[in-house]
Amino acid sequence: MTSLPYTAILLDLDGTITDSAPGITDTLAYTFAALGRQVPDADELLRYVGPPILDSFRDRAGMTLDERMRALEIYRERYLDRGAYDAVLYPGMGELVRDIAEAGIPLSLATSKPELPATLMLEHFTIAQHFTIITGASADETRSAKADVVAEALVRLRAMDADLSRPVMVGDRVHDVEGAAAHGIPTIAVRWGYGDDAEHAHAVAVADDVAALRGLLGL
């Protein structure tokens, strides 16, 4: 195990393990329509994928706190019913998650999606069992910023006596890079998600495909 470059791995979900955009953007369109608001265009809706949803309702839609909480209520009901399953695994990611587990490397999900839908999604793709722990946003969204999710993942891994001497984050958005950096953790960015090269500027490395990511993880 000492020959591997990293002793623990934190994995983002949307845009890293799964292409979740169809279910998220469809649910967002439903939410805006239910609120009597104009539905943003497809490119704008895609910008909601990745960051904490309440932050996006505030920063992108200009909603008040009450409006955001109402939007979240509508969004969650629809997403848990339909949207969470409107996603696909990126080719090779299911096998990579399995191989990380088989290599004995502690593995935590680290997503700004609440833990319930995140867990349901991983179970849907039959890969939940490969994760040491599943860490996401709290149900009340008080833990949703990526830095806070990473902090919780580290607490849970440490409680399991995981070796955290050389952890790494794997994600597709700037929120992953910055959230991990807040704890001194490097990020490997992946190009198949929803981020762009500017968002990956401070990543320790960028993987063009899953084979490249395997190499960077020493698998």
Side-chain angles (χ1 to χ4, degrees):
M1 189 61 64
T2 54
S3 64
L4 293 172
Y6 300 107
T7 60
I9 298 171
L10 309 180
L11 266 182
D12 175 50
L13 179 59
D14 299 328
T16 301
I17 300 173
T18 61
D19 180 2
S20 314
I24 293 173
T25 57
D26 178 74
T27 307
L28 284 166
Y30 174 87
T31 300
F32 279 99
L35 291 170
R37 285 175 165 255
Q38 181 176 348
V39 177
D41 64 29
D43 287 342
E44 174 64 11
L45 288 175
L46 197 59
R47 294 185 175 94
Y48 282 74
V49 182
I53 191 70
L54 281 177
D55 289 357
S56 293
F57 284 146
R58 179 192 64 211
D59 300 336
R60 306 204 69 85
M63 293 185 187
T64 66
L65 178 58
D66 287 344
E67 289 170 337
R68 296 199 306 270
M69 298 313 295
R70 176 58 182 151
L72 180 63
E73 180 182 2
I74 296 169
Y75 178 91
R76 277 189 176 172
E77 182 177 358
R78 175 80 167 192
Y79 190 75
L80 286 173
D81 182 50
R82 296 178 55 175
Y85 306 105
D86 189 4
V88 294
L89 276 176
Y90 286 111
M93 282 305 295
E95 293 81 2
L96 177 60
V97 167
R98 178 201 63 204
D99 291 347
I100 291 170
E102 291 183 353
I105 306 171
L107 174 64
S108 175
L109 192 71
T111 176
S112 290
K113 186 189 296 297
E115 286 180 9
L116 176 57
T119 301
L120 291 174
M121 184 177 288
L122 295 179
E123 289 175 346
H124 176 71
F125 291 116
T126 65
I127 59 172
Q129 71 275 16
H130 299 313
F131 286 81
T132 310
I133 54 172
I134 294 174
T135 310
S138 56
D140 62 2
E141 298 279 342
T142 56
R143 181 182 72 242
S144 62
K146 188 52 69 88
D148 294 339
V149 172
V150 170
E152 180 64 19
L154 294 175
V155 166
R156 295 179 184 183
L157 286 170
R158 192 172 292 114
M160 303 175 73
D161 294 323
D163 182 353
L164 296 179
S165 59
R166 298 188 311 279
V168 67
M169 177 78 199
V170 179
D172 67 309
R173 299 296 307 270
V174 68
H175 309 83
D176 301 309
V177 179
E178 294 176 348
H183 301 280
I185 297 174
T187 295
I188 297 173
V190 300
R191 280 209 171 97
W192 56 80
Y194 311 122
D196 55 30
D197 287 347
E199 295 191 44
H200 303 159
H202 298 291
V204 68
V206 180
D208 289 325
D209 52 38
V210 175
L213 178 57
R214 279 183 171 275
L216 291 166
L217 295 175
L219 296 170

